[in-house]
């Protein structure tokens, strides 16, 4: 017998709430402006730098926080054919865009718990362990193989590889991942050698080693397919990339209040800033809950039409104070741009470029121009 529902009332209340939320727009108080032309130019530049190899795109972590679906749409239009996500939820998120159009690889591989979804998905797992190989072997479905060339994160050890292991499997990419491509030490060469040795022991259609920084290491590292992530979104991990990579994401916030500080007035939590002279400040609708972390306290920079507006005192959860000395005309309701060039912002805040881009909070509305 189907249990009788207690009441239909709660549903009605919920529906009414949704409807009214749809009818009355609430404009954002802080957002991230995303530059489609810059994203596409970055992919084209990385594809060019990849020489004979084709560039794919890492779109894991919701397209490094920018919105995987929009990133995938723009990169499909640009000609990108290969996407990399971390898990099957992320594969499902873009499946209607990629199915039949592009290859999607799931970097974390496949667990037992993923099998029912994975077996009917158009994405393929990157098999990282012997258990994962066994799990996938009888499926007769395509997969990729990750070779551990020395990072010792995910991947099959070269010593465990042999051609029989993969009997009957349809392997597209035999890949590996560089641990220190942003540095010039010996590890890159060691990993290149280990990966190359591993390739003889994995039947495959295509090869792939380089992430963004790896692309700048030169043609020996390019193989058939490169896998840039960070650089697509404006990150610069090696000086060779500085000339070609453009900023993609620019946070912006509305001014909620303008006030004048007088000599010796204290500002913000713990009074980290004390005014030495009279000057105007603005309070912005953004804070560390939006990913603008406290490392930017006293260091971050906002701008309005080129005028520099330094962050004063501690960044709060939802609010930031900036100096309006150079822009005393600004008032409540005006918007200012956050200096979020990833290389510079990383130096300012002590956070990595990866943390800066993936950390932009979900409270910030995102819009593409
Ligand atoms: C994240 C990731 C990439 C992209 O790396 P970036 O440094 O962001 O370019 C490529 N390959 C694998 C296996 C990854 O996990």
């Amino acid at each position: 017998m189907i249990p009788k529902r207690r009441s239909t009332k709660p549903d009605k209340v919920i529906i009414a709430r949704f409807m009214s939320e749809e009818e009355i727009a609430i404009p954002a108080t802080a957002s991230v402006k995303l530059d489609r032309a810059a994203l596409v130019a970055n992919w084209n530049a990385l594809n060019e730098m990849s020489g004979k190899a084709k560039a794919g795109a890492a779109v894991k972590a919701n397209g490094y926080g920018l919105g995987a679906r929009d990133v995938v749409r723009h990169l499909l239009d640009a000609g990108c054919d290969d996407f990399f996500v971390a898990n099957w939820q992320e594969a499902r998120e873009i499946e209607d865009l990629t199915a039949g159009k592009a290859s999607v690889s799931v970097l974390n591989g496949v667990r037992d718990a993923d099998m029912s979804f994975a077996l009917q998905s158009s994405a393929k797992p990157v098999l990282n362990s012997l258990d994962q190989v066994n799990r996938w072997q009888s499926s007769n479905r395509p997969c990729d193989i990750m070779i551990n060339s020395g990072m010792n994160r995910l991947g099959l050890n070269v010593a465990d590889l042999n051609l029989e292991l993969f009997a009957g499997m349809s392997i597209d990419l035999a890949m590996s991942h560089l641990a220190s491509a942003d540095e010039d030490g010996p590890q890159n060469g060691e990993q290149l050698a280990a990966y190359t040795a591993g390739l003889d022991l994995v039947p495959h259609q295509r090869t792939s080693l380089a992430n963004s920084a790896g692309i700048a290491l030169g043609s020996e590292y390019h193989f058939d397919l490169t896998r840039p992530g960070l650089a697509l979104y404006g990150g610069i991990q090696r000086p060779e990339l500085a000339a070609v990579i453009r900023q993609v994401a620019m946070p912006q916030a509305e001014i909620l209040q303008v006030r004048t500080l007088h000599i010796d007035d204290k500002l913000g939590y713990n009074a980290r800033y004390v005014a030495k002279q009279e000057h105007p400040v603005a309070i912005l609708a953004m804070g560390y809950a939006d990913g603008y972390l406290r490392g930017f306290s006293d260091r971050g920079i906002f701008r309005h039409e080129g005028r520099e507006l330094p962050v004063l005192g501690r960044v709060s959860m939802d609010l930031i104070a900036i100096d309006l000395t150079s822009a005393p005309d600004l008032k409540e309701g005006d918007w200012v741009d956050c200096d979020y060039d990833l290389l510079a912002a990383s130096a300012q805040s002590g956070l990595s470029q990866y943390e800066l881009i993936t950390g932009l909070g979900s409270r910030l509305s995102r819009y593409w121009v």
Side-chain angles (χ1 to χ4, degrees), residues 58 60 64 107 146 153 177 211-212 227-230 354:
K60 59 200 187 190
Y64 285 47
L107 291 166
M146 178 65 81
R153 204 173 58 169
H177 189 48
N211 59 351
S212 303
R227 306 188 307 270
L230 184 74
Y354 295 89

Side-chain angles (χ1 to χ4, degrees), residues 64-285:
Y64 285 47
L66 305 189
R69 291 182 62 81
D70 289 325
V71 167
V72 166
R73 274 194 203 99
H74 299 330
L75 293 183
L76 278 171
D77 288 350
C80 181
D81 296 321
D82 293 273
F83 294 93
F84 296 86
V85 295
N87 62 36
W88 294 94
Q89 279 91 350
E90 293 182 351
R92 171 151 65 187
E93 193 66 29
I94 58 170
E95 186 141 23
D96 62 315
L97 305 173
T98 53
K101 292 209 187 100
S103 139
V104 175
S105 300
V106 178
L107 291 166
N108 288 358
V110 65
R111 306 166 301 167
D112 274 333
D114 297 319
M115 285 299 278
S116 50
F117 180 79
L119 287 172
Q120 52 86 63
S121 169
S122 59
K124 55 193 157 69
V126 178
L127 304 179
N128 292 306
S129 67
L130 293 171
D131 280 348
Q132 291 190 1
V133 171
N134 290 336
R135 189 169 294 135
W136 198 252
Q137 193 132 38
S138 58
S139 73
N140 290 319
R141 295 175 64 86
C143 62
D144 302 325
I145 298 291
M146 178 65 81
I147 299 169
N148 172 26
S149 59
M151 187 180 191
N152 288 310
R153 204 173 58 169
L154 297 178
L156 290 147
N157 289 342
V158 176
D160 291 335
L161 298 174
N162 61 71
L163 291 168
E164 293 90 89
L165 191 61
F166 305 107
M169 297 184 81
S170 142
I171 298 169
D172 178 4
L173 294 165
M175 57 200 260
S176 191
H177 189 48
L178 296 168
S180 310
D182 55 334
E183 297 172 340
D184 285 324
Q187 193 181 11
N188 295 321
E190 289 163 14
Q191 286 199 265
L192 179 61
Y195 172 57
T196 309
L199 283 180
D200 291 338
L201 303 169
V202 181
H204 58 265
Q205 278 153 38
R206 297 185 294 166
T207 50
S208 177
L209 176 63
N211 59 351
S212 303
I215 292 170
L217 291 178
S219 57
E220 306 164 89
Y221 289 83
H222 292 161
F223 293 91
D224 294 330
L225 178 71
T226 58
R227 306 188 307 270
L230 184 74
L232 291 171
Y233 312 108
I236 296 170
Q237 287 286 92
R238 291 190 63 93
E240 298 90 335
L241 294 169
V244 295
I245 295 303
R246 288 164 53 181
Q247 183 176 352
V248 175
M250 185 195 279
Q252 302 173 312
E254 187 169 332
I255 294 176
L256 296 178
Q257 188 169 1
V258 170
R259 64 170 63 253
T260 301
L261 294 186
H262 302 281
I263 294 183
D264 291 338
D265 275 354
K266 302 173 181 70
L267 175 63
Y269 281 119
N270 307 107
R272 279 262 298 249
Y273 179 80
V274 180
K276 294 194 187 65
Q277 72 224 14
E278 185 174 310
H279 68 93
V281 297
I283 311 303
L284 307 180

